[in-house]
Amino acid sequence: MLVAVTRGVSPDIGHCELTHLEREPIDIDVARTQHTLYERVLEDLGCRIEHLADEPDFPDSVFVEDIAVVLGELAVITRPGALSRRGERPSIERALSPHRRLAHIRAPGILDGGDVLVAGRSIHVGLSTRSNVEAVEQLRRIVADHGYEVFEVGFRGCLHLKSAATAVSNDTLLINPEWVDAGTFPGKTCIPVDPSEPNAANVVRVGDTVLFAAAFPRTGGRLAAAGFDVQPVEASELAKAEGALTCCSLLFDVPNPIEHSTQE
Ligand code: GLY
């Protein structure tokens, strides 16, 4: 079964990190309502939600994705590029340690999970203000025994690689070609977002369903036309904090409890 690790919206979200956006007021109640609906959609799709305790002192702590990269074999705890986010790690380590062996990115490496796009056995890491080549080298060594290939990716125009590209299947990506070149992903089919929706490339795969931000119906339509089972999710308020759909969960497989107890 799938587990989704999530965390509620910090009351201090108004002081979140911003890189490409101007600060504008965030309605905390709307943000929390949308986040709860996001969790409900994940639950309806079969995920078990592990909702972590709030971290009021960490404005960006709802964006749990940045703190770990969870693979089938292990979880890599990142060293976030923003100093203000490093204190988010202990609670994520505690949440993941029952499920995965943990490895760590160490200084001078910096890595945000939002820059790490996993598609099958390919791991594409965006080089950004939050993620550097030292971290890519460390990640490459950490996963070397598990058959993954790790690629460095250049991109522009957005904070994290996964605002420019996400996986809709192991061999198909949704990309904004203005922000990342399709040629960066050899062997993958790339579907471009609708040109009027530059922020639409961040989608979440949950089993056979692809969640897309409701603000981007044209891109959702493109995915549907390509044969994907799509579902819109409202995410407009946290978008003001430079967060998107993938940012709000760590999704990974765990053994189905029923199958597990049958084997014992
Ligand atoms: N506000 C999202 C981030 O910077 O990490």
Side-chain angles (χ1 to χ4, degrees):
M1 74 177 301
L2 273 174
V3 164
V5 172
T6 62
R7 192 198 318 272
V9 180
S10 163
D12 205 22
I13 184 84
H15 293 112
C16 66
E17 297 282 342
L18 288 177
T19 307
H20 288 267
L21 298 184
E22 293 295 320
R23 198 168 295 281
E24 57 179 311
I26 295 174
D27 185 321
I28 185 99
D29 292 329
V30 174
R32 285 184 168 149
T33 300
Q34 290 183 349
H35 186 263
T36 301
L37 288 172
Y38 170 86
E39 289 178 321
R40 198 165 298 157
V41 168
L42 292 177
E43 205 162 29
D44 288 347
L45 291 170
C47 296
R48 187 178 81 218
I49 306 294
E50 293 193 5
H51 182 102
L52 306 185
D54 288 357
E55 292 269 27
D57 294 339
F58 295 105
D60 281 298
S61 54
V62 64
F63 302 129
V64 291
E65 169 189 62
D66 290 315
I67 311 303
V69 178
V70 187
L71 302 170
E73 301 81 0
L74 79 167
V76 180
I77 302 297
T78 65
R79 182 166 179 269
L83 273 176
S84 68
R85 302 203 57 189
R86 297 211 178 134
E88 297 173 34
R89 287 175 292 182
S91 59
I92 297 290
E93 288 178 315
R94 284 193 296 278
L96 295 179
S97 57
H99 302 295
R100 294 289 191 274
R101 175 173 76 77
L102 301 185
H104 294 80
I105 298 298
R106 312 276 184 197
I110 53 168
L111 186 71
D112 276 11
D115 278 322
V116 183
L117 193 176
V118 181
R121 307 310 276 188
S122 307
I123 303 180
H124 303 273
V125 185
L127 298 179
S128 70
T129 55
R130 303 290 183 85
S131 302
N132 64 12
V133 287
E134 287 86 349
V136 177
E137 276 309 318
Q138 291 179 34
L139 182 64
R140 198 170 270 132
R141 283 198 294 274
I142 288 168
V143 302
D145 290 341
H146 301 292
Y148 293 94
E149 264 194 290
V150 180
F151 304 95
E152 292 165 24
V153 178
F155 67 100
R156 54 205 169 266
C158 55
L159 172 60
H160 287 129
L161 174 63
K162 277 192 284 191
S163 294
T166 50
V168 286
S169 74
N170 285 348
D171 51 19
T172 305
L173 308 182
L174 176 68
I175 70 164
N176 175 345
E178 297 292 320
W179 290 350
V180 69
D181 301 322
T184 306
F185 305 107
K188 305 290 183 199
T189 300
C190 291
I191 300 174
V193 296
D194 186 278
S196 67
E197 298 176 342
N199 290 300
N202 186 278
V203 296
V204 179
R205 283 165 78 185
V206 188
D208 292 331
T209 303
V210 178
L211 305 181
F212 69 96
F216 309 123
R218 293 178 179 195
T219 299
R222 284 188 176 210
L223 292 174
F228 293 94
D229 184 7
V230 296
Q231 189 170 333
V233 182
E234 285 294 345
S236 55
E237 210 57 29
L238 287 176
K240 298 175 186 170
E242 224 163 354
L245 291 179
T246 61
C247 308
C248 293
S249 57
L250 285 162
L251 281 171
F252 52 89
D253 274 308
V254 295
N256 184 315
I258 297 166
E259 284 171 16
H260 194 59
S261 59
T262 309
Q263 285 167 3
E264 281 173 356

